[in-house]
Amino acid sequence: MLPKSYNPSESENRWYSLWLASKMMASQPSDRQPYSILMPPPNVTGILHFGHVLNHTIQDVYIRWNRLQGRETCWFPGLDHAGIATQTKVEQELKKEGKTRHDLGRDAFIERTYEWKEKYGGIILEQLRRLGNSSDWDRTLFTMDPSAVDAVREVFIQLFDDGLIYRGKRIINWSPLAQSALSDEEVVFKEVREHLYTLKYKLSDGSGELLVATVRPETIFADVAVAVNPRDERYAHLIGQTVVVPLSGQHVPIIADDYADPTFGTGVVKITPAHDPNDYEIGLRHNLPMPQCINADATLNERAGAFAGMDRFVARKAVVLALQEAELVAAIEDYTHNVGFSERGGEAVEPYLSDQWFVRMQPLAEPALKAVQNGEIRFYPEHWVKTYEHWMTNVRDWCISRQLWWGHRIPVYYAPDGRWTAARSEEEARIKLALPEGTQLVQDPDVLDTWFSSWLWPMTTMGWAGEKIEEMPEQSRRLFDYYVPTNLLVTGPDIIFFWVARMIMATVRFGGRVPFRDVYFTSIIRDAKGRKLSKSLGNSPDPLDVMSKYGSDAVRFTMIYLAPLGTDVRLDIDVKTQDIPSMELGRNFANKVWNAARFLQMKSDGLFDPSTMSVGTTPSSDSDESERWIISRYHSTVAAITEALAEYRITEYARTLYDFIWRDFCDWYVEVVKVRLNVAANDEQRRAILSVAFGIFEGALKLLHPVMPFVTEELWHGVFGTDETSSINVTSAPVSNSTYIDHNVEQRFELLQSVVESVRRQRSDLNIPPSERLPITMNVPSDIADIFEQQQAIISAFCRASTFDVGTGLNKPSGSVADVTRGVETFLVVEGRIDLEKEKARLLKEAERLKGLMKGLQGKLDNPGFLAKAAPDVIEGERKKLSDWTAAVESLERNAATMG
C-alpha cells in the first residue's frame, strides 16, 4: 500500500539514481527510428534559473515522450566554456589573493581556470539532474574538450584559407574592465538618466555658430565633422563650410547626411567615427578620418590635451566645466536613453574602434536562409521566420576575436616581415608563408568568441573534429549519420542570431546538411507585474529552493501549464519570502493523482491485484454508460495529447491532461467506481470495474510521465508492483483507438455532469451543508431519460439525495426550489430546512450587491485609460471577474424566482 502522502525529495533522489544505474537514458545507434535533441550547453559558470527550468522541461518532455513511442532517443548534454564569464570568475578569485592573471602568466592562468572548472563547472549539470533531465550523460561534451578544440581550429583555418576570415578595424562593444571585445549578447541595455549638452561650434569664417547636441562631450577631441540633414533648409547654405571644434580647435567640415534628424536637438550632430557605431558608418560613407581620443582602459588619450589620463566620466564633468568657462555651452537638459553595460563586469560598454578578426557572413547566410524558407527547418512559433529572414538578408560580418586568455586561441601566426597566416602549428605557418626553418613566429594572443565553438555544436557533439565528413572515424560518422539532423532544438528567441542561425550556417557548410528539423522558441518568464525575473528586482527565486518546497514534478508541470507557445509566462512571486505560490497548482495535482491511486488500492485490496491481473482500456462485458464514457474520454484525451505534442502545443498537452485526470478521472470516475462497486452483484463484476479503472489510471500515468517523471514512476511501481530495474519510461505510450471514442456518450454524460454541478451550486447558494441529504426530483426529456435512469445511484450519491425520483413529465414537488440545465428540470425539496421567504430575500440582496460591483467594474472596463495602461493579464482578469459575477447573479435570481 502506498504511503498516505507523497514525499518528493525521497522519491526524486531514489529514482534518479536508479535511472542512472540502469542506463535507461543512454543511447546507441540501432535499427529503431532515432529521436535526438541537442542541449543548449549551459555556461560552465551557470547556476540554474527558471529559464533553464522551462527550457529543459520542454526538452525532457519530448525525450521521454519519444522514448515511450519506442524511438532510440538521445539528448546530447554539454557545457560551454563561457570565455569572458569564466575568466572574470577566476580573476575575481585572484584579486582576493592580491594577484592578477599577469602575475601568473598565460599558461599558469589557463591551468588555474581548468582547476576552477573542475571544482565548480559541473554544478549546473547536477542541478539539471535534480530537475529530472533524462540526458545521455556519458556523452557530455565540454566546448574545450580536445575534439572540440580540433574542430574549432580546423574550421577557422578552412574559413581563413577560403577568404571568409579577415582582420580589420570595426566599431565593437568594448569592455574596459575585461579589456576585451564583447558580443551583442554580452551587453545588457539599461535606461539611464544623463544630460544632453548643446555646444557652440563656431563657423571657421567667424560669421556665426552652429548649436550641436551631444550626450558625450568628452569625445569632442575625436570629432571629424558635423552633420546636417540634406533636406533641412535651416542649414543647407552651410554645407561644405567648416566649424571649429570647441576646446580642441580643430577645423572640421559640415557634411550632409540623412542620419541627422532635424527633429532631434538642434538637427546638427557631431561625427566621431571611432566612438559611435552610427558615426562610424557615416565616416565610411564620407571617407572621413577616424582618430581615437579614448584608450582601451576608458581613459582619455593625448588628443584630449589637459584631460589626458582622466577616466571618461570624470573627463566628461571636467570638459563640461571648461566649456562653460569658455561660454561654449548653450544648454544642458535632462535626457533619458538606453546605455549598454557589460553583462559580466557591470561597467558601461565603450564603442571602440579596434583591430579584430571577422567572419564574412553573407556567403554563409544564403544557404542557411534557404533551409528555413524551403521548410527543411521549421520554427515554432512561425512568426520568428520573418525575424530570421530580416536578419539573414541584412547580415553583418561577425567579430570573432576576444582579448582574453581563456578560450580557443586564434590559430594565426605573425612573421617578422608583418605577414600572417592561419595554421595548425608554428611549423605549418612557416611553410605556408614560405619562411626559412627556425624563423620565429608569434601566435595571435586573442581567443575566439565563445559562439565560435557553440556554432559547431551539432557536429562536435557527434565527435566531429573538423575533418571532412567522409573522413570521420567510423564511430563518429555513425553517430552523425544516425542522429543528425536532430529532431528538435529548444532555445530562447534572444539567441536566434547568435546561435541558431550560426549553427545552421556551420552545419550546412561543413556537414552538408541542416543541424535540426524543428526549433521551439521558449517564452520569456515574468512576474505577475509583467517584469522579467532578475536578482536586482528581487523577483528571481532560486529554483532549487522552490523545488525543495514543492517537488521537481510540481515545478515542471506548473511551468509547462503556464507557458503557451509564443506567450510570456507569468509567475506569482512573493518577493519577501522568495516563494512562488503558483507552484501550488503542480503540487496539488501531484497529490490529487497520488490520492486517486491510494483510493484504487484500498478498493481493490483482496479483490484485484493490478500487478498480476490484466488491466485494460476497453469496455467490459458488464460496462454501463459511465464506463463507456470514461473509456471514450480516455481515448479522446490520448488523441488530443498526441496531436498537441506533435504540433508543439505543449501547454495544451498539460491542460488537456490536467482536465482529464483531475475532473474526469479523479472528481468523477473515481466516485463512479465507488458507487458501482457498492451496487455490483458479485466480485467478478467488481474485478471487471477495477480492471478498467486501473487500465485508465496506468494509461494516464504514462501520458503524465514526460512532464512529471518522478511521481509517475513512484506510482507505477507502487500500484502495479513492477521491478525497480524497469521504468515506466521504457514501456509503450498509450495509443488512441477511435473505435472506443463515442462523442454521443461523451455529450450525454457531460450533460449529466452539468446537471449534477448545477444541483451542487444550488445547494451552496442556499447554504445547505454537504452532510445534509435532501429529496431530489429530476424531470428529463424523453430522449435522454435512459442515461439518467441508468445512473440513478451515481446521481443520487453525487447530489447528496435522501430520495431521488427521475423520469419524464414529473411535476414540481411542494416546498421545492427549481433549476433548469439544458432542458433538465431539477427540484430540490427544502421545505422545513430553510425559511423560503427569508432565503429569497437573502438571495436577492446578494444579487443586488453583485450588480453594484458589476456596474463599477463595467465602468472600469469601458475606460480607455485603464485599457491603455493595464497589463493584458490584468484586463483579462477583470473581464473574467465580470463574467463570474454575471453568472452568479443569474443563478441567485433564478433560485429566488423558484421560491414563489
Side-chain angles (χ1 to χ4, degrees):
M1 180 68 69
L2 291 167
K4 186 176 180 180
S5 59
Y6 174 53
N7 183 339
S9 61
E10 187 277 331
S11 176
E12 289 163 11
N13 292 332
R14 178 162 49 84
W15 286 117
Y16 205 88
S17 297
L18 287 168
W19 292 339
L20 289 172
S22 69
K23 297 289 185 182
M24 179 198 81
M25 299 176 284
S27 176
Q28 288 290 345
S30 67
D31 57 1
R32 292 192 290 172
Q33 182 182 353
Y35 185 90
S36 56
I37 294 178
L38 297 171
M39 178 190 293
N43 285 353
V44 71
T45 59
I47 299 293
L48 193 71
H49 56 66
F50 275 98
H52 291 128
V53 171
L54 176 61
N55 186 302
H56 286 259
T57 299
I58 292 171
Q59 293 176 76
D60 201 35
V61 163
Y62 279 94
I63 284 292
R64 290 179 183 274
W65 177 246
N66 281 278
R67 193 178 286 131
L68 279 166
Q69 301 284 337
R71 298 187 178 99
E72 185 67 62
T73 59
C74 192
W75 187 3
F76 291 87
L79 272 177
D80 194 295
H81 66 277
I84 193 167
T86 307
Q87 179 158 318
T88 299
K89 290 279 188 185
V90 178
E91 288 195 274
Q92 286 171 349
E93 279 196 353
L94 290 174
K95 188 176 181 180
K96 293 175 185 176
E97 301 169 14
K99 298 177 183 176
T100 69
R101 59 180 161 131
H102 300 285
D103 294 325
L104 270 66
R106 184 168 194 139
D107 291 343
F109 178 79
I110 291 172
E111 185 179 337
R112 174 74 176 260
T113 309
Y114 269 111
E115 290 173 2
W116 185 95
K117 178 257 179 185
E118 290 303 316
K119 186 174 181 180
Y120 299 106
I123 290 176
I124 189 155
L125 297 185
E126 288 300 322
Q127 293 173 331
L128 292 174
R129 289 183 176 92
R130 170 83 183 278
L131 183 64
N133 278 27
S134 57
S135 309
D136 186 350
W137 296 110
D138 292 338
R139 297 193 184 280
T140 302
L141 180 75
F142 179 49
T143 53
M144 285 183 65
D145 281 344
S147 60
V149 170
D150 290 344
V152 167
R153 184 184 61 245
E154 291 301 315
V155 165
F156 185 99
I157 293 170
Q158 287 182 50
L159 293 176
F160 180 92
D161 290 345
D162 291 343
L164 295 179
I165 284 183
Y166 66 93
R167 187 168 174 82
K169 281 188 179 293
R170 291 287 188 279
I171 283 277
I172 46 95
N173 300 312
W174 182 260
S175 165
L177 193 62
Q179 291 283 287
S180 176
L182 301 175
S183 70
D184 290 344
E185 194 254 352
E186 293 165 323
V187 177
V188 178
F189 283 90
K190 301 176 186 178
E191 198 173 78
V192 175
R193 187 177 182 182
E194 296 186 310
H195 294 103
L196 184 66
Y197 303 91
T198 302
L199 309 182
K200 299 175 182 178
Y201 282 58
K202 305 288 187 181
L203 292 168
S204 296
D205 63 8
S207 61
E209 64 187 20
L210 283 181
L211 299 181
V212 180
T214 180
V215 293
R216 300 200 67 191
E218 71 275 14
T219 63
I220 58 175
F221 307 104
D223 286 359
V224 294
V226 294
V228 297
N229 193 287
R231 288 173 293 282
D232 193 335
E233 295 179 358
R234 294 173 295 174
Y235 306 115
H237 65 290
L238 296 175
I239 296 171
Q241 294 189 37
T242 61
V243 292
V244 181
V245 178
L247 299 186
S248 80
Q250 289 274 99
H251 291 260
V252 298
I254 302 168
I255 63 174
D257 196 280
D258 288 332
Y259 173 72
D261 182 358
T263 66
F264 178 77
T266 62
V268 186
V269 293
K270 71 188 198 70
I271 306 303
T272 319
H275 299 294
D276 183 277
N278 294 309
D279 291 5
Y280 174 77
E281 296 297 331
I282 295 170
L284 291 178
R285 286 197 292 272
H286 295 270
N287 196 28
L288 298 171
M290 298 187 183
Q292 293 172 276
C293 68
I294 296 179
N295 296 313
D297 63 357
T299 60
L300 270 62
N301 67 18
E302 65 281 357
R303 290 186 66 89
F307 307 97
M310 289 185 183
D311 174 79
R312 53 186 166 162
F313 297 118
V314 174
R316 180 178 300 176
K317 294 177 181 178
V319 167
V320 170
L321 183 60
L323 289 166
Q324 288 174 320
E325 290 174 351
E327 298 183 347
L328 293 173
V329 178
I332 301 176
E333 306 166 64
D334 288 339
Y335 180 61
T336 301
H337 65 140
N338 286 327
V339 175
F341 291 82
S342 168
E343 183 182 39
R344 303 298 171 188
E347 81 280 20
V349 168
E350 183 65 36
Y352 194 67
L353 186 64
S354 173
D355 284 317
Q356 302 289 340
W357 287 99
F358 295 86
V359 177
R360 298 186 198 278
M361 299 297 277
Q362 192 60 49
L364 301 174
E366 290 173 2
L369 176 58
K370 288 178 183 176
V372 173
Q373 290 176 328
N374 66 20
E376 277 190 274
I377 298 173
R378 297 173 292 267
F379 285 177
Y380 297 87
E382 191 178 4
H383 67 75
W384 287 111
V385 171
K386 292 294 182 186
T387 306
Y388 180 83
E389 287 176 339
H390 176 75
W391 188 78
M392 295 293 269
T393 52
N394 297 278
V395 67
R396 294 193 172 201
D397 289 352
W398 173 18
C399 175
I400 56 171
S401 46
R402 299 290 181 269
Q403 290 64 50
L404 303 170
W405 284 356
W406 174 246
H408 296 268
R409 192 167 177 180
I410 293 175
V412 167
Y413 294 85
Y414 298 91
D417 61 9
R419 293 182 300 142
W420 63 74
T421 191
R424 295 164 188 82
S425 65
E426 187 176 346
E427 182 181 357
E428 184 181 79
R430 276 193 292 269
I431 294 171
K432 290 179 76 172
L433 292 171
L435 292 170
E437 188 175 344
T439 303
Q440 292 296 307
L441 304 183
V442 177
Q443 186 176 355
D444 195 300
D446 291 352
V447 300
L448 290 162
D449 179 9
T450 299
W451 295 107
F452 198 88
S453 53
S454 300
W455 78 324
L456 306 178
W457 194 241
M459 295 177 288
T460 51
T461 46
M462 306 298 150
W464 182 69
E467 65 271 77
K468 292 180 180 178
I469 297 300
E470 58 272 18
E471 295 175 1
M472 289 176 71
E474 182 180 350
Q475 184 177 2
S476 297
R477 178 64 189 271
R478 190 174 175 220
L479 283 177
F480 186 71
D481 287 340
Y482 185 71
Y483 291 116
V484 181
T486 57
N487 297 80
L488 175 64
L489 177 73
V490 181
T491 189
D494 53 327
I495 55 174
I496 187 172
F497 313 127
F498 298 114
W499 194 43
V500 178
R502 290 170 182 166
M503 279 195 290
I504 299 172
M505 293 179 197
T507 312
V508 168
R509 184 174 182 89
F510 298 105
R513 65 191 74 178
V514 294
F516 29 71
R517 292 298 184 193
D518 296 338
V519 182
Y520 182 107
F521 292 108
T522 55
S523 309
I524 296 172
I525 303 172
R526 302 181 184 275
D527 64 13
K529 296 179 180 178
R531 303 175 301 177
K532 284 187 179 182
L533 305 194
S534 72
K535 294 202 183 306
S536 61
L537 291 174
N539 66 348
S540 182
D542 185 341
L544 295 176
D545 292 340
V546 178
M547 285 192 283
S548 294
K549 179 172 182 178
Y550 295 97
S552 297
D553 283 339
V555 173
R556 288 167 60 112
F557 184 84
T558 304
M559 293 300 293
I560 294 297
Y561 189 93
L562 297 176
L565 181 64
T567 305
D568 291 350
V569 181
R570 295 294 180 98
L571 292 178
D572 179 19
I573 297 171
D574 188 321
V575 175
K576 288 185 179 178
T577 64
Q578 289 296 286
D579 189 16
I580 305 183
S582 309
M583 297 301 165
E584 289 283 358
L585 183 147
R587 181 167 66 181
N588 292 343
F589 187 41
N591 290 337
K592 188 84 168 179
V593 178
W594 186 269
N595 290 335
R598 278 178 50 81
F599 167 81
L600 291 177
Q601 280 191 326
M602 287 186 288
K603 289 298 178 182
S604 62
D605 191 27
L607 181 65
F608 185 86
D609 184 356
S611 67
T612 59
M613 297 179 176
S614 63
V615 299
T617 55
T618 58
S620 63
S621 57
D622 295 319
S623 67
D624 70 349
E625 190 132 1
S626 66
E627 188 172 275
R628 291 193 295 275
W629 164 74
I630 195 64
I631 288 172
S632 181
R633 286 291 305 120
Y634 169 76
H635 286 281
S636 294
T637 299
V638 173
I641 280 173
T642 303
E643 181 181 307
L645 287 175
E647 296 177 0
Y648 298 106
R649 291 181 277 110
I650 193 163
T651 292
E652 189 175 319
Y653 151 72
R655 295 188 176 192
T656 299
L657 194 50
Y658 180 90
D659 290 343
F660 172 73
I661 292 176
W662 189 292
R663 183 174 185 266
D664 293 339
F665 189 81
C666 296
D667 283 355
W668 278 90
Y669 196 67
V670 163
E671 295 301 316
V672 166
V673 167
K674 189 187 302 182
V675 175
R676 290 189 68 206
L677 289 174
N678 288 336
V679 300
N682 52 55
D683 284 351
E684 184 179 347
Q685 285 187 2
R686 294 185 183 93
R687 278 190 283 270
I689 293 167
L690 288 168
S691 174
V692 171
F694 278 106
I696 298 291
F697 186 68
E698 183 180 31
L701 288 181
K702 291 180 179 181
L703 294 173
L704 186 58
H705 176 76
V707 68
M708 300 185 88
F710 295 110
V711 70
T712 52
E713 191 79 271
E714 187 77 38
L715 288 172
W716 188 67
H717 284 269
V719 173
F720 297 95
T722 47
D723 190 327
E724 280 198 346
T725 59
S726 183
S727 169
I728 188 174
N729 198 205
V730 293
T731 59
S732 57
V735 177
S736 177
N737 188 332
S738 59
T739 303
Y740 303 118
I741 297 177
D742 189 328
H743 295 300
N744 182 51
V745 167
E746 289 190 34
Q747 289 168 4
R748 282 156 57 89
F749 206 86
E750 182 191 346
L751 172 59
L752 186 151
Q753 289 175 301
S754 297
V755 171
V756 169
E757 287 166 355
S758 173
V759 173
R760 286 173 165 175
R761 280 195 301 271
Q762 194 173 40
R763 288 176 60 106
S764 176
D765 288 344
L766 297 173
N767 289 329
I768 296 170
S771 60
E772 187 170 356
R773 294 180 178 272
L774 299 176
I776 296 176
T777 296
M778 287 189 183
N779 183 34
V780 299
S782 57
D783 61 331
I784 56 170
D786 58 332
I787 184 173
F788 280 83
E789 290 170 355
Q790 184 193 86
Q791 303 297 327
Q792 282 190 59
I794 292 170
I795 297 170
S796 178
F798 274 69
C799 293
R800 308 292 293 165
S802 57
T803 62
F804 181 59
D805 293 320
V806 61
T808 58
L810 300 181
N811 294 320
K812 181 177 183 289
S814 174
S816 66
V817 292
D819 199 2
V820 181
T821 304
R822 289 160 59 182
V824 177
E825 291 181 292
T826 59
F827 306 112
L828 191 64
V829 180
V830 296
E831 189 173 35
R833 268 79 171 182
I834 62 174
D835 182 327
L836 290 178
E837 286 301 318
K838 189 175 181 180
E839 185 60 25
K840 180 179 180 179
R842 185 189 73 80
L843 295 178
L844 292 175
K845 182 178 180 181
E846 176 62 12
E848 288 304 311
R849 186 186 74 84
L850 288 177
K851 285 180 181 179
L853 294 174
M854 289 165 59
K855 184 177 180 181
L857 184 54
Q858 187 64 63
K860 187 178 183 180
L861 289 170
D862 290 338
N863 183 350
F866 169 73
L867 296 177
K869 294 178 181 177
D873 61 319
V874 172
I875 296 171
E876 185 58 34
E878 295 296 83
R879 285 176 176 156
K880 173 73 166 53
K881 192 188 297 180
L882 182 62
S883 174
D884 291 344
W885 285 347
T886 302
V889 168
E890 290 173 355
S891 176
L892 291 166
E893 291 182 336
R894 186 168 60 248
N895 283 325
T898 69
M899 295 180 183

